[in-house]
Structure formats: C-alpha cells, structure tokens
C-alpha cells in the first residue's frame, strides 16, 4: 500500500526520510504529523527514528542503506553517529565514509542485493558500499543522469526509473537488478523519484501531490499490500494503459 504524506509544505518526502526493510529514518523537527504517519504504519515491524545528519534534516538524501547497514557522510557528527548506533537494530552496521560526493542518497540506489552508483564515486567508497551493505555494485546512469539515487527507486520486489529512460536501458537495468522495472513519475509528473517517494518490500510513502494513477503504477510494480494478489504476476491492462498515457503526456 502507498501512503500519501508531506513534510511541512514539501512533497519531496524522500529528502526528509529514508526507509528500508529493517528501519526508517525521519528528519527531526517540522510537523510531528510527518513522523506519526510513518510511526502508525511501521512501528509494529521496524523502528522509526528521528535523526539529523550534519545538523540537517534531509536524512533521505545524505544517507543510503538497506537491511544490513547504513552509510553516512563525513559531515555526520559523533553524536549523530552514536544516536543511530543506539537506535538501530544490532544487525545493522552503521558506517561513516569519506566521499567527495557527500549526498549519498543522490549518488547511490540500492536494495538488499544490488547497488547502482554514480560513475564518479571513489573506488574506496565502492568497496565500502559492497562490504557494509552486502551488495554487488555497478557504476551506472539512468536516462543519461548520473544521480542514480535521485532518478530511480527499487526494492527487492521491483523498481521505477526516470520516465525518459529508453526501453533498452530499462531492460539492461532490469537484468542487472534482477527485478521488474517500469518508467514512471511521482508528485503529479515529477521525475525525481528518489526525492518524491520511499519504499521497502511491503509499503511505500509518496508525496501528497502524487496522483491515483501514479499510485496504481507504484503499487503494481513494487507489489505492495492489498494489491499484491491483483498484480502479483504482472500489471493489469488498466494500469498498463494508464501508465502509457502518462508517459505519452510527458514525451
């Protein structure tokens, strides 16, 4: 199931939150409403943690992680690092890394098995991502965009990429990631998928502006909740047609 939510007046909820199968981070401050939406959906399954990174609230763009670990930029303070270590499950490795491109959420997209990274990340960073998150790492672009974390989003069930990604690129990425992919948008036509949504294997949160058509596509490709039975083996015709018309409008 996909839940609409906004952070203060922003629909870019992927900037202010990070979600995996083992934990959820939300930016500190702002409306307590934002935190409580995540808390009500997730608290029975995983911890929901208030956090800042380098004193800033945009935890979704500065961190990257999966159920095995979380990577933090060098701007993270010792106090923030300790807070996350204390709050996260013991099975989650917390690691601070020295990387020139410090908005890790923008330059890395990953699930529990594979990570796509910006073509210019340091070799050492690539090794740390592989070791801490336990994933295979591929240097890649999405629709010609180097910020893979901003322009694609995928879980262990499926994924969504920038609407201008070619069919050939989608097929190549899908075979790399070993999950079905679809081109799509959030927040009424925004192609910044990483900023507009967060997703794990059983739930998703999207910006308040996201249309019902976009939510249908998201619930279908990520195989979420009550719709899983309906879409488990593939998209229904109506969603396929809706998505086609959505992409046509954008091209």
């Amino acid at each position: 199931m996909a839940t609409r939510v906004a952070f203060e007046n922003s629909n870019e909820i992927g900037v202010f939150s990070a979600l995996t199968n083992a934990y959820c981070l939300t930016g500190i401050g702002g409306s307590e409403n934002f935190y409580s939406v995540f808390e009500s959906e997730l608290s029975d399954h995983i911890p929901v943690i208030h956090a800042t990174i380098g004193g800033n609230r945009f935890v979704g763009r500065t961190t990257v992680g999966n159920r095995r670990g979380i990577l933090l930029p060098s701007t993270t303070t010792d106090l923030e690092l300790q807070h996350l270590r204390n709050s996260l499950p013991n099975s989650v490795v917390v690691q601070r890394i020295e990387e020139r491109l410090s908005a890790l959420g923008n330059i890395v997209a990953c699930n529990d098995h594979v990570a796509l990274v910006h073509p210019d990340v340091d070799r050492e960073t690539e090794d740390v991502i592989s070791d801490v998150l336990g994933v295979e790492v591929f240097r890649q672009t999405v629709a010609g965009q180097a910020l893979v974390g901003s322009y694609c989003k995928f879980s262990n069930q499926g994924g969504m990429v920038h609407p201008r990604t070619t069919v050939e690129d989608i097929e190549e990425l899908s075979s790399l990631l070993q999950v079905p992919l679809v081109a799509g948008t959030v927040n009424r036509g925004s192609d910044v998928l990483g900023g507009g949504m967060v997703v794990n294997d059983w739930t998703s949160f999207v910006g308040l502006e996201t249309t019902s058509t976009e939510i249908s596509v998201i619930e279908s490709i990520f195989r979420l909740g009550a719709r899983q039975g309906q879409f488990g083996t593939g998209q229904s015709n109506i969603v396929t047609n809706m998505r086609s018309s959505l992409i046509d409008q954008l091209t």
Side-chain angles (χ1 to χ4, degrees):
M1 180 181 139
T3 307
R4 289 187 180 99
V5 60
F7 185 90
E8 295 177 355
N9 291 322
S10 173
N11 290 305
E12 303 297 320
I13 62 148
V15 173
F16 301 102
S17 61
L19 176 64
T20 73
N21 291 330
Y23 55 86
C24 174
L25 304 184
T26 65
I28 220 159
S31 166
E32 195 61 25
N33 233 4
F34 182 71
Y35 178 81
S36 62
V37 170
F38 284 88
E39 183 86 334
S40 64
E41 287 288 327
L42 301 170
S43 59
D44 291 343
H45 310 288
I46 56 175
V48 182
I49 301 157
H50 274 308
T52 59
I53 301 293
N56 296 302
R57 301 185 295 181
F58 32 85
V59 294
R61 296 301 84 204
T62 49
T63 67
V64 66
N66 62 14
R67 66 180 169 85
R68 295 186 191 89
I70 182 168
L71 298 173
L72 310 172
S74 54
T75 53
T76 310
T77 66
D78 293 341
L79 202 62
E80 290 166 340
L81 189 69
Q82 197 55 51
H83 167 62
L84 287 173
R85 283 198 170 128
N86 293 341
S87 307
L88 289 166
N90 292 335
S91 58
V92 177
V93 179
V94 181
Q95 177 80 40
R96 186 164 47 186
I97 60 174
E98 299 290 331
E99 165 59 51
R100 184 174 51 85
L101 304 167
S102 61
L104 301 175
N106 287 339
I107 62 166
V108 182
C110 72
N111 60 15
D112 293 337
H113 309 292
V114 186
L116 302 182
V117 301
H118 189 294
D120 297 338
V121 298
D122 295 340
R123 176 72 207 179
E124 292 80 9
T125 303
E126 192 179 327
D127 293 339
V128 173
I129 292 168
S130 180
D131 293 343
V132 173
L133 304 184
V135 293
E136 276 191 275
V137 180
F138 299 100
R139 291 175 187 260
Q140 193 61 259
T141 60
V142 174
Q145 306 281 353
L147 296 176
V148 288
S150 301
Y151 294 105
C152 76
K153 198 78 188 167
F154 55 93
S155 68
N156 300 325
Q157 307 288 335
M160 188 175 271
V161 295
H162 190 290
R164 296 195 188 278
T165 312
T166 63
V167 174
E168 293 78 16
D169 283 354
I170 290 176
E171 286 174 358
E172 182 190 340
L173 287 170
S174 186
S175 68
L176 265 186
L177 303 173
Q178 293 295 297
V179 295
L181 294 179
V182 71
T185 59
V186 289
N187 287 330
R188 205 178 291 274
S190 168
D191 52 21
V192 187
L193 302 170
M197 66 185 286
V198 290
V199 64
N200 67 10
D201 285 355
W202 70 85
T203 191
S204 171
F205 297 88
V206 297
L208 216 52
E209 286 282 292
T210 305
T211 65
S212 54
T213 304
E214 290 168 335
I215 283 179
S216 294
V217 175
I218 288 164
E219 289 182 336
S220 164
I221 197 66
F222 290 108
R223 300 180 183 173
L224 299 176
R227 297 179 175 261
Q228 187 165 352
Q230 186 181 349
F231 298 132
T233 55
Q235 294 178 338
S236 66
N237 289 335
I238 188 164
V239 174
T240 307
N241 294 339
M242 282 174 164
R243 187 178 65 78
S244 300
S245 64
L246 185 71
I247 302 302
D248 287 346
Q249 286 171 17
L250 289 166
T251 52

